[in-house]
Amino acid sequence: MTSPIKILLAEDQGLLLGALCALLDLEPDMQVVGKASDGKQALQMARELRPDILLTDIEMPVMTGIELARHIQQSDLCCKVIILTTFARSGYLRRAMDAGVKGYLLKDAPSDELANAIRRVMQGRKMIAPELIVDAWEEADPLSDKERRALKLAADGQQTEQIARAMHLSPGTVRNYLSSASSKLNASNRIEAARIARQKGWL
Amino acid sequence: MTSPIKILLAEDQGLLLGALCALLDLEPDMQVVGKASDGKQALQMARELRPDILLTDIEMPVMTGIELARHIQQSDLCCKVIILTTFARSGYLRRAMDAGVKGYLLKDAPSDELANAIRRVMQGRKMIAPELIVDAWEEADPLSDKERRALKLAADGQQTEQIARAMHLSPGTVRNYLSSASSKLNASNRIEAARIARQKGWL
DNA sequence: ACTTTAATGTGACAATTGTCATTAATCGCT
DNA sequence: AGCGATTAATGACAATTGTCACATTAAAGT
């Protein structure tokens, strides 16, 4: 047997970070070499520690897991990124694959599968949570950037006037954007549109 | 030293459940005697296994952690319940205290604090996440039941007409409820009202 | 029996939102 | 310069929402 698989963890939820570390350290062929609680920190540690695997959450402060994966991909590090997230959203998966990740797992999965997934990825395979494989061939995000931004603000309860100020647009234009977003998503108002978009991971 | 602290875990996120188990089993004075992935299952296991501590999430399928705590309290089990949740919402904490829980911790906390918190609770202390202690003396939930229900549906993007049908009320009445909810929460529309209510844990 | 109180409904009006057709300005491209 | 595409704005109108004053009804006290 060769040297153990060196793993770097990135997860902002302190408890899960520590617990994952305990879990993986139980595996004789793995070794957690570092723990980061945001994306930026993880990137820096990856450069120093040269892990084989970077296991990261998506939603983290400072830098998201997706951005992190993109940076790793563009660097000279030969570190395989595995995403570990709560959200079974097809939009996230698509963006993650574009960023070159090797695995996309859900926190819902039983914990004993994790170590195996890591080993498979080390062998060069890709591991995608089964719940998502079907979804993956779903529609692409139809929203424009402006539509997305307006929808986000609307979902917070801001009204047209305020959204317009925030986006440096006229109220009329904002209503146009929200209207077109709604029609693209087959929603009957901005709130429903936001809900749908969020559920698909487009928001 | 006496026998180890017997712990039952309830958590629907499979990965965290397994990882927590690994983490706690590292402590020499603790022993995880059971793992449940929903509230109902946890209640049944608590009756069979008689753990000293029940460590549970709030948001679980079938039965929430709060309901679970209430059942335990009303039973003859002398099992101390500790809530472990992502959400720093004062409403949740209040309801949890009413249900007689002995601890309320956040998943954000560093993992090494968990074992200590459990030991403290075993000694009869109460452990509340510091972020929440300030919040705890905040305002009580001002919403009526109908207001809450209407707000929930509105937050989904349903419009007055549909909400009215769902609640067997006239559209006018629904608008009245939403209006009064908004004014109670100092919101300027139903969406903002829903956002505020959700943030406080009232929804 | 006679208030009181809470829950529900109505109607009216203003404000906000949704929809659409049309126009204007800007940019890249040939 | 001229063409299409993109982005932003306008105006008009209908629909939905927010607000409030005011019935109506049915318990719940006293």
Side-chain angles (χ1 to χ4, degrees), chain A residues 146 168-170 172-173 175-177 189:
Chain A
K146 301 295 178 74
H168 306 291
L169 291 176
S170 90
T173 308
R175 291 202 285 155
N176 286 338
Y177 280 133
N189 58 55

Side-chain angles (χ1 to χ4, degrees), chain A residues 33-66:
Chain A
V33 296
K35 297 192 278 185
S37 57
D38 70 72
K40 201 139 203 162
Q41 197 187 345
L43 185 56
Q44 200 168 356
M45 291 180 77
R47 283 199 241 273
E48 290 169 15
L49 303 169
R50 303 278 162 165
D52 302 306
I53 295 280
L54 167 54
L55 190 64
T56 178
D57 191 10
I58 289 189
E59 304 199 322
M60 289 185 298
V62 192
M63 184 190 288
T64 71
I66 306 255

Side-chain angles (χ1 to χ4, degrees), chain B residues 146 168-170 172-173 175-177 189:
Chain B
K146 301 295 179 72
H168 305 292
L169 291 175
S170 89
T173 307
R175 292 204 282 155
N176 286 339
Y177 280 134
N189 58 54

Side-chain angles (χ1 to χ4, degrees), chain A residues 23-202:
Chain A
L23 183 75
L24 292 175
D25 268 341
L26 290 181
E27 304 291 329
D29 57 338
M30 299 186 187
Q31 185 192 0
V32 176
V33 296
K35 297 192 278 185
S37 57
D38 70 72
K40 201 139 203 162
Q41 197 187 345
L43 185 56
Q44 200 168 356
M45 291 180 77
R47 283 199 241 273
E48 290 169 15
L49 303 169
R50 303 278 162 165
D52 302 306
I53 295 280
L54 167 54
L55 190 64
T56 178
D57 191 10
I58 289 189
E59 304 199 322
M60 289 185 298
V62 192
M63 184 190 288
T64 71
I66 306 255
E67 290 167 323
L68 174 56
R70 209 172 291 125
H71 280 281
I72 297 269
Q73 185 187 31
Q74 286 164 4
S75 75
D76 57 337
L77 298 168
C78 59
C79 165
K80 297 174 199 293
V81 178
I82 300 178
I83 297 277
L84 190 60
T85 179
T86 312
F87 305 106
R89 292 174 185 162
S90 44
Y92 274 1
L93 174 58
R94 181 175 301 268
R95 275 182 266 166
M97 297 311 281
D98 289 346
V101 313
K102 300 294 188 291
Y104 190 104
L105 308 175
L106 297 180
K107 289 183 183 172
D108 277 331
S111 57
D112 22 329
E113 284 177 15
L114 178 62
N116 279 325
I118 291 177
R119 289 190 195 98
R120 295 267 176 75
V121 168
M122 273 307 284
Q123 288 163 13
R125 286 197 51 182
K126 283 202 169 146
M127 294 297 295
I128 310 294
E131 292 90 326
L132 283 163
I133 296 185
V134 183
D135 267 31
W137 257 247
E138 296 258 315
E139 346 117 71
D141 181 350
L143 296 176
S144 78
D145 229 45
K146 301 295 178 74
E147 287 164 351
R148 195 185 340 277
R149 219 145 46 97
L151 218 44
K152 258 188 220 174
L153 296 172
D156 270 6
Q158 308 218 28
Q159 36 201 117
T160 314
E161 196 65 52
Q162 305 170 286
I163 299 174
R165 267 199 300 278
M167 295 180 67
H168 306 291
L169 291 176
S170 90
T173 308
V174 169
R175 291 202 285 155
N176 286 338
Y177 280 133
L178 289 173
S179 179
S180 81
S182 290
S183 90
K184 282 177 182 177
L185 301 175
N186 272 69
S188 62
N189 58 55
R190 43 180 87 184
I191 316 159
E192 196 187 354
R195 188 178 55 75
I196 294 172
R198 182 157 282 150
Q199 185 227 314
K200 300 262 192 186
W202 295 334

Side-chain angles (χ1 to χ4, degrees), chain B residues 131-144:
Chain B
E131 292 89 325
L132 283 163
I133 296 186
V134 184
D135 267 31
W137 257 245
E138 295 258 317
E139 347 119 69
D141 181 350
L143 296 176
S144 78

Side-chain angles (χ1 to χ4, degrees), chain B residues 175-193:
Chain B
R175 292 204 282 155
N176 286 339
Y177 280 134
L178 288 172
S179 179
S180 81
S182 290
S183 90
K184 283 177 181 175
L185 301 176
N186 271 69
S188 62
N189 58 54
R190 43 181 86 185
I191 315 159
E192 197 186 353

